[in-house]
Amino acid sequence: MNFLSLIESKREGKTLAPAQIQNFVREFTAGKIPDYQMAAMLMAIYFRGLTTAEITALTLAMRDSGDVLKFPRDKRPLADKHSTGGIGDKVSLPLAPLLACLGFRVPMISGRGLGITGGTLDKLDSIPGFKTLQPAEKIVEQVQKVGCVICGQTDRMVPADKKIYALRDVSGTVPSIPLITASILSKKLAESLDALVLDVKFGCAAFMQTRADARKLAKAMVALGNECGVNTRAILTDMNTPLGRAAGNWLEVKESVACLAPSVLPASRWQIKSSQFCRQDASSTFADLRLLVLDCAAHLLVQTGKARSLVAARKRAEDCLNSGAPRKKWDEMLVAQGANLGAFNKKLALDHTAPVVVELKAEKPGFVSRCDARLIGEIIRDLGGGRLTKESAINYDVGIDRLAKPGEAVRKNSILGRIHAADQSQAQSACARLQAAFEISAMPPRATRLVAEIIASSR
Ligand code: URA
């Protein structure tokens, strides 16, 4: 293969044939194309884009670069959710056991956080004994037996994406819609899914800062997923404010477990029109997190024909969550993945596991009109809760909880957030920075929708 001529073709904006794309993905994965040439191709794609047929060819070639999970025939549909990443976004944790209890099989292959966005695997690593690395046979076995698994990609799954992503990371070619689409969907297609719901975030702490860009990405992924035989939908969700009231690895596991408990919130407040749920309805708990978990489950129920309407599906998902079965399923999943349940429950009972806890208090009464997710993500990363490079070690105990949410009324000295830090000086500097993440105004802010749009088809 003359890869140089393919780079030149793409540089000139020409369309590559599927066979040419398959060839270069195979050759690059096998180490037969040098990084500098592949980086040039990625940059050409970044500027020239790819046609739908080219994105499909790239995605399928990446999927087929390694193991594709093979499941026995079973009446339970295979389903998953993928989020483009945010602050406090722990939806996967309660969602996997909920879906298992709703009669799905959930092979949730997740990733680690990089920069300010959290990663599901990092959160799970804070659970004593929990193993996030499983061989493909074990993933399939656990999904068949327990109904769900949350684990990392094995070395043999989608190796082309691993190599290409690492190169994109250092060649300025990450924010390309065709490349993001192929990267995310190649991994999801390797799970052999029947249905997929994509949570595409927009806002100050999201990959796609504007709703228009998020919509473009969502439409590209929905079109490709459906074309590849997976019933795919996307929801566009607001990531200007953290999801829930806790951010930081262990604190998010705690909040996820709390989310699995039966709710005392009157369902009517947010169940029926949950896609129109407003931040101002946040109440005193983490209603936004629960809402998103139930919404993702509801879409999958509709996508797989298990429910006729979103309203009926949300009710079914909520009843299931309130039955307590998903909380038990969570424990079952933990045990299946090696967790020490006794140690986990002991840890869960602690108010905090970080050595120092400091509260940030409101200086005046009013309404929270801003709680900046980007700033909060940066503070947590700098406390040691995130990574600056792929090699950085993580402190699982640090983070911020008891976050006040936009729309909420506060008095002078109400808690706006509680910082969990490794030492006093880190806690104090985080507290000073956290102050800037909040704005308190005399009037309540305009309500914003958490789920701003549903993209069920690419048109
Ligand atoms: N997540 C991925 O897996 N790939 C991307 O390109 C971006 C986000």
Side-chain angles (χ1 to χ4, degrees):
M1 182 188 46
N2 182 349
F3 190 54
L4 176 58
S5 75
L6 296 189
I7 298 171
E8 287 167 346
S9 290
K10 191 40 76 186
R11 184 194 66 200
E12 300 308 316
K14 295 191 180 133
T15 301
L16 303 178
Q20 292 174 315
I21 294 174
Q22 282 152 18
N23 273 346
F24 82 67
V25 170
R26 194 176 47 243
E27 300 274 291
F28 178 66
T29 311
K32 294 182 186 157
I33 289 176
D35 280 359
Y36 56 82
Q37 275 196 315
M38 191 62 176
M41 173 59 95
L42 294 170
M43 191 56 88
I45 293 174
Y46 176 89
F47 281 113
R48 292 296 191 170
L50 292 177
T51 64
T52 307
E54 286 177 308
I55 301 177
T56 307
L58 179 63
T59 307
L60 295 180
M62 285 164 66
R63 176 197 69 183
D64 295 336
S65 67
D67 288 348
V68 172
L69 296 180
K70 287 200 173 55
F71 291 92
R73 284 174 74 91
D74 192 312
K75 65 179 190 329
R76 294 170 297 168
L78 286 151
D80 195 4
K81 180 234 41 155
H82 179 84
S83 154
T84 56
I87 310 302
D89 179 8
K90 55 203 75 79
V91 168
S92 294
L93 273 53
L95 182 63
L98 170 63
L99 290 175
C101 291
L102 285 167
F104 290 98
R105 288 175 291 165
V106 190
M108 202 177 257
I109 310 287
S110 303
R112 299 202 175 274
L114 186 65
I116 61 164
T117 60
T120 300
L121 298 183
D122 296 327
K123 301 180 214 292
L124 290 168
D125 274 345
S126 70
I127 298 173
F130 191 90
K131 290 185 193 63
T132 50
L133 251 191
Q134 311 261 25
E137 314 76 67
K138 179 84 204 318
I139 295 174
V140 172
E141 192 188 309
Q142 184 176 324
V143 166
Q144 288 303 119
K145 191 162 167 248
V146 180
C148 57
V149 66
I150 312 182
C151 63
Q153 188 183 344
T154 69
D155 281 346
R156 290 171 45 186
M157 281 181 83
V158 208
D161 177 64
K162 239 181 210 164
K163 283 192 80 178
I164 293 173
Y165 193 87
L167 205 49
R168 284 168 60 206
D169 211 20
V170 291
S171 61
T173 51
V174 169
S176 147
I177 287 180
L179 294 177
I180 296 172
T181 301
S183 168
I184 291 175
L185 282 183
S186 59
K187 287 174 283 202
K188 291 293 133 184
L189 293 179
E191 296 175 4
S192 303
L193 299 174
D194 296 305
L196 171 66
V197 65
L198 297 159
D199 177 4
V200 182
K201 309 274 188 203
F202 64 90
C204 71
F207 223 14
M208 299 284 144
Q209 304 241 322
T210 67
R211 191 161 144 186
D213 282 346
R215 188 184 300 119
K216 256 192 233 161
L217 176 61
K219 285 192 167 183
M221 291 199 287
V222 167
L224 183 58
N226 283 310
E227 196 180 313
C228 294
V230 180
N231 188 317
T232 308
R233 264 189 198 189
I235 50 178
L236 303 190
T237 65
D238 185 330
M239 188 26 76
N240 286 297
T241 290
L243 193 63
R245 289 178 185 275
N249 294 297
W250 170 248
L251 295 174
E252 292 189 44
V253 170
K254 270 185 93 168
E255 191 172 63
S256 301
V257 174
C259 177
L260 284 165
S263 171
V264 290
L265 254 193
S268 59
R269 286 192 62 182
W270 50 283
Q271 178 203 318
I272 305 301
K273 289 194 174 170
S274 63
S275 64
Q276 282 156 26
F277 171 88
C278 298
R279 291 278 184 194
Q280 280 170 322
D281 290 340
S283 177
S284 60
T285 56
F286 34 79
D288 55 348
L289 170 64
R290 239 178 113 83
L291 167 102
L292 203 46
V293 170
L294 293 177
D295 245 28
C296 289
H299 281 291
L300 289 167
L301 285 168
V302 172
Q303 284 168 256
T304 52
K306 282 167 152 291
R308 288 234 181 107
S309 70
L310 267 182
V311 173
R314 283 188 191 109
K315 167 93 176 74
R316 182 140 156 232
E318 186 179 32
D319 288 348
C320 180
L321 196 55
N322 282 339
S323 74
R327 175 65 183 84
K328 287 193 190 124
K329 184 61 77 181
W330 163 266
D331 279 356
E332 197 184 332
M333 178 180 79
L334 257 53
V335 170
Q337 292 186 240
N340 177 337
L341 217 50
F344 171 70
N345 286 328
K346 256 194 202 154
K347 195 171 171 183
L348 213 49
L350 300 173
D351 173 67
H352 57 275
T353 50
V356 180
V357 173
V358 170
E359 291 169 350
L360 172 71
K361 295 189 171 161
E363 287 177 344
K364 60 177 185 187
F367 294 90
V368 176
S369 51
R370 188 170 66 94
C371 168
D372 188 308
R374 171 159 287 273
L375 219 65
I376 288 172
E378 286 169 3
I379 295 168
I380 294 171
R381 177 199 61 201
D382 297 345
L383 281 167
R387 291 185 185 80
L388 280 168
T389 69
K390 286 203 171 86
E391 289 72 38
S392 306
I394 293 246
N395 183 337
Y396 298 102
D397 300 323
V398 301
I400 303 175
D401 66 356
R402 300 201 191 166
L403 282 165
K405 309 282 286 188
E408 232 164 63
V410 288
R411 299 165 202 255
K412 187 173 179 340
N413 286 330
S414 291
I415 296 175
L416 295 178
R418 209 166 65 129
I419 292 146
H420 298 239
D423 60 44
Q424 269 297 344
S425 90
Q426 282 191 13
Q428 293 307 335
S429 101
C431 196
R433 288 171 72 193
L434 186 59
Q435 183 95 52
F438 284 96
E439 223 169 78
I440 309 289
S441 32
M443 299 297 289
R446 210 165 52 88
T448 55
R449 285 179 182 181
L450 173 60
V451 181
E453 265 175 66
I454 300 167
I455 312 265
S457 83
S458 56
R459 274 173 268 282

